[in-house]
Amino acid sequence: MKLSIFTVSTPDLTPEELTAAAKAAGLQGIEWRFKATPEERKAEKPSYWGNNLCSISHLGDESEWDRFKRATEAAGLQTTGVTPYLAVGDLEATEHVLRAARYMNAKMIRLGVPGYSRDKNYNDLLEKGRSYLREAEALCKQYGVKGLVETHHNTIVPSASAAYRLVEGLDPEWIGVLFDPGNMVHEGYENHRMGMQLLGPYLAHVHIKNAGWFPQDTEAGQPVQWRSDWAGLEKGIVSWRQMIDDLRSVGYDGWLGLEDFSGELDSVAILNDFARIMNGLINEDQ
């Protein structure tokens, strides 16, 4: 297994600073966030989803992509993926991301998935999602880049089994699942090894972050209310030792991509902490 960083997690670093820090920490790959920063937010303090200095604008072209490509190559790293925020059915935007990924020699992009908020019927959303994936599969094959759906709360694929139902029957060479145990703390937990076994060849990438459930302040005599929130890599519900064992049990040998939102460490420190934790677990009993 190899280590990468999804640059949503390092919003205060420029592409050149990020690739140098990732290389120094011992990582091998970069998963670039693909999202423009609105002009009105560029004066703000760097943040994950706001003024992220480590994002490729989805409005750009090769003239912008080249900076990120050169920064990756100069550090001797690999672009593992280009990760946008695509709307289901937007094939024009999907093809644009695939064009960027091919230019940057990336092997994966993230595809759109229908959200779920009780206002629409799941079965209708499932068919909408599968219809989009069938068309996206043809584009992925054309560009030679795999499209992934991510297990994510508040979507129709919060769990491995729900993700499998969405991608079942599609070609796993071009359509896969981004397995995110941290997201599944919020919603969608299943025994992870069982989920990996179910996904089989669709298991294509893994995001590394953690989360937990915390009681909220409530008035005396009222039921306890709970909320989920992000936590440090070793402070949340996900056991990474068990996760690595489970991944090894199904023969997974792909990327482990850091996507930490805990804010407990600065960007450079979280890269080093991630490498320390994951390399320690990967090398156990080897």
Side-chain angles (χ1 to χ4, degrees):
M1 287 176 262
K2 298 166 291 186
L3 305 184
S4 63
I5 169 69
F6 177 23
T7 63
V8 68
S9 300
T10 55
D12 57 328
L13 300 181
T14 66
E16 294 78 12
E17 291 170 337
L18 178 277
T19 52
K23 179 68 172 182
L27 277 62
Q28 297 89 35
I30 309 292
E31 180 184 348
W32 292 106
R33 182 175 185 262
F34 197 73
K35 178 73 173 177
T37 300
E39 285 297 325
E40 64 271 16
R41 304 201 68 174
K42 289 184 178 179
E44 297 177 358
K45 179 181 178 181
S47 60
Y48 300 130
W49 302 285
N51 184 23
N52 190 308
L53 306 182
C54 229
S55 288
I56 304 173
S57 172
H58 69 284
L59 304 175
D61 56 19
E62 292 182 5
S63 62
E64 177 173 350
W65 306 339
D66 193 58
R67 177 189 179 188
F68 297 83
K69 181 180 181 180
R70 286 188 287 107
T72 309
E73 293 174 348
L77 302 175
Q78 179 180 338
T79 296
T80 63
V82 173
T83 301
Y85 301 80
L86 289 169
V88 173
D90 192 342
L91 294 172
E92 182 178 356
T94 301
E95 186 167 12
H96 182 64
V97 181
L98 287 166
R99 193 176 296 116
R102 185 172 66 179
Y103 180 80
M104 298 184 66
N105 299 316
K107 301 301 181 185
M108 301 177 286
I109 70 164
R110 183 172 62 183
L111 297 171
V113 171
Y116 186 80
S117 57
R118 290 188 169 92
D119 59 335
K120 294 183 175 64
N121 187 283
Y122 163 80
N123 294 293
D124 295 334
L125 294 171
L126 177 66
E127 182 48 43
K128 180 179 179 181
R130 285 185 60 79
S131 177
Y132 164 64
L133 290 185
R134 284 191 289 267
E135 294 184 279
E137 179 186 329
L139 287 174
C140 289
K141 185 175 183 179
Q142 176 185 335
Y143 281 86
V145 177
K146 181 177 286 191
L148 308 184
V149 299
E150 180 178 8
T151 57
H152 204 294
H153 41 298
N154 302 320
T155 74
I156 66 167
V157 292
S159 66
S161 60
Y164 180 75
R165 191 172 186 201
L166 180 63
V167 302
E168 185 178 13
L170 298 172
D171 187 346
E173 183 174 355
W174 302 114
I175 298 293
V177 171
L178 196 176
F179 193 82
D180 193 316
N183 284 347
M184 288 185 269
V185 171
H186 298 277
E187 178 190 5
Y189 172 74
E190 299 167 320
N191 184 293
H192 293 307
R193 185 173 299 199
M194 181 183 74
M196 294 170 190
Q197 292 168 346
L198 173 64
L199 289 174
Y202 293 108
L203 178 60
H205 187 32
V206 179
H207 270 172
I208 307 295
K209 59 177 178 280
N210 219 327
W213 282 87
F214 307 93
Q216 300 186 72
D217 293 334
T218 54
E219 296 182 7
Q222 296 299 311
V224 175
Q225 300 294 316
W226 295 81
R227 64 176 177 83
S228 57
D229 204 351
W230 305 115
L233 293 181
E234 296 184 300
K235 296 181 180 179
I237 289 174
V238 179
S239 166
W240 291 112
R241 174 170 282 103
Q242 183 64 63
M243 192 63 53
I244 295 299
D245 286 345
D246 291 344
L247 288 167
R248 189 177 286 127
S249 76
V250 297
Y252 181 79
D253 194 31
W255 292 96
L256 305 176
L258 175 65
E259 188 194 22
D260 184 84
F261 298 133
S262 68
E264 291 191 352
L265 298 171
D266 65 43
S267 293
V268 174
I270 192 61
L271 292 170
N272 288 293
D273 197 53
F274 167 62
R276 173 187 62 81
I277 294 168
M278 290 298 131
N279 282 326
L281 295 174
I282 292 169
N283 294 326
E284 275 186 356
D285 302 322
Q286 293 298 296

